[in-house]
């Protein structure tokens, strides 16, 4: 009912958003009233429970959708005050992310995994991810909101660097692996949306690093799609002064370079050479090929409009790019569909196709 929805939104604003808005980018002080400190931490704990890394994927998707719907309604209701509402939220999100990942090196490393800091980190990325996906009937623009907030956006790529480092660290407590993975995914999705705001020097470094990571198949399948989207966004930022045609060419070359790495790894696997021979790497290669082939597709491309011309635009020069893998790469992937693989190495023979690959 309408009254129930209105009441739920009131609670969402009161419990989740208001404490963040009140902080507005300023640290909670020691002399702050205990009740306000409690309200502030409850806000992050609620958001952290709605994040990618908190539960199974099915329930999380529903909660993420509810969060976006609630944000959309709150922003719509704000009308002409949308930027005034989003400004303190973005400033506080940036401050909390910098603090909870120790990007300013102000806390002891192991403190990153204290419950309170973890909740702030997870909750902040959850809310920022939802906010970047939030388009409203009243023309809310995350791009305008970021500009109005005047935040230093270099924290986006610095956060990814820190999260990736944490995920590879043997010192990370095992019970935080899922949380860090979910936060990493949210970070990459945000970079994909806001890459145009990252300083060019940071974009160049991060794009090269991310390309190396993807080409080495170091990302798990659940991060590959977001990683590729982030790489494209950063690459577009690096080419910001170029023409759309030049930008498309840069992305096309990038895609085919990673395709070539995929082809090399699969060739080695099917030739029965042991390099990159484990199933998890092959699985990552296949996911990478699939996500690369989706670059340039837009949400309005489906079976109902096959005859519709999809053209690039100044706002999206990559739209319609659609770089396909080589015939040989497609053949290599198809080779792994049967229960056993016919090896094309000098000794011939067959070997079982790992179930996870099929």
């Amino acid at each position: 009912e309408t009254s129930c929805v209105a009441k739920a939104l009131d609670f969402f604003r009161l419990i989740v958003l208001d404490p963040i808005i009140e902080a507005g980018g300023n640290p909670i002080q020691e002399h702050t009233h205990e009740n306000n400190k409690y309200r502030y931490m409850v806000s992050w704990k609620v958001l952290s429970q709605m994040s990618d890394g908190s539960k199974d994927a099915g329930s999380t998707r529903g909660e993420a959708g509810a969060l976006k719907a609630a944000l959309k309604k709150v922003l719509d209701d704000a009308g002409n005050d949308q930027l005034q509402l989003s400004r303190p939220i973005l400033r506080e999100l940036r401050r909390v992310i910098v603090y909870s990942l120790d990007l300013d090196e102000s806390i002891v490393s192991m403190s990153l995994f204290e419950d309170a800091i973890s909740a702030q980190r997870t909750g902040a990325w959850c809310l920022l991810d939802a906010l970047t996906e939030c388009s409203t009937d009243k023309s809310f623009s995350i791009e305008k909101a970021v500009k109005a907030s005047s935040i230093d956006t270099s924290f986006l790529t610095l956060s990814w660097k820190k999260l990736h480092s944490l995920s590879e660290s043997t010192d990370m407590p095992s019970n935080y692996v899922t949380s860090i993975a979910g936060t990493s995914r949210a970070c990459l999705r945000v970079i994909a949306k806001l890459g145009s705001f990252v300083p060019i020097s940071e974009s160049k470094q991060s794009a090269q690093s991310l390309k190396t990571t993807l080409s080495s198949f170091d990302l798990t399948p659940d991060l590959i799609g977001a990683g590729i989207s982030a790489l494209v966004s950063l690459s577009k930022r690096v080419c910001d002064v170029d023409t759309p045609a030049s930008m498309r060419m840069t992305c096309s070359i990038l895609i085919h370079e990673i395709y070539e790495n995929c082809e090399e790894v699969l060739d080695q696997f099917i030739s029965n050479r042991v390099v990159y021979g484990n199933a998890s790497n092959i699985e990552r290669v296949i996911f990478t090929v699939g996500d690369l082939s989706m670059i340039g597709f837009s949400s309005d491309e489906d079976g109902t409009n096959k005859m519709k011309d999809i053209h690039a635009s100044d706002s999206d020069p990559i739209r319609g790019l659609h770089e396909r893998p080589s015939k040989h790469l497609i053949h290599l992937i198809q080779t792994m569909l049967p229960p056993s693989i016919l090896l094309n190495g000098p000794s011939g023979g067959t070997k079982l196709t790992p179930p996870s690959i099929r």
Side-chain angles (χ1 to χ4, degrees), residues 45-52 54-55 60 63-64 66-67 126:
K45 287 179 180 178
V46 170
L47 286 166
S48 70
Q49 290 301 308
M50 303 176 78
S51 73
D52 263 1
S54 61
K55 301 183 185 70
T60 303
E63 291 170 359
L67 175 59
C126 176

Side-chain angles (χ1 to χ4, degrees), residues 311-348:
H311 297 294
S313 63
D314 289 340
S315 61
D316 188 5
I318 307 304
R319 179 180 167 93
L321 187 60
H322 305 171
E323 294 292 342
R324 289 174 55 82
S326 68
K327 291 182 179 179
H328 182 55
L329 180 51
I330 294 172
H331 169 72
L332 290 171
I333 293 175
Q334 290 173 337
T335 300
M336 290 181 286
L337 292 176
S340 59
I341 300 171
L342 182 63
L343 302 176
N344 58 14
S347 58

Side-chain angles (χ1 to χ4, degrees), residues 4 83 243:
C4 293
L83 295 182
T243 63

Side-chain angles (χ1 to χ4, degrees), residues 51 82 122 165 241 327:
S51 73
Q82 287 179 345
T122 307
S165 173
V241 296
K327 291 182 179 179

Side-chain angles (χ1 to χ4, degrees), residues 271-282:
S271 299
N272 209 25
R273 284 175 276 168
V274 296
V275 181
Y276 297 111
N278 65 74
S280 63
N281 267 320
I282 302 305

Side-chain angles (χ1 to χ4, degrees), residues 68 127-136 142 189-190 193:
K68 291 173 188 176
L127 182 56
L128 183 55
D129 185 22
L131 195 59
T132 59
E133 293 281 347
C134 199
S135 58
T136 76
I142 185 61
R189 285 197 297 255
V190 171
K193 289 286 185 179

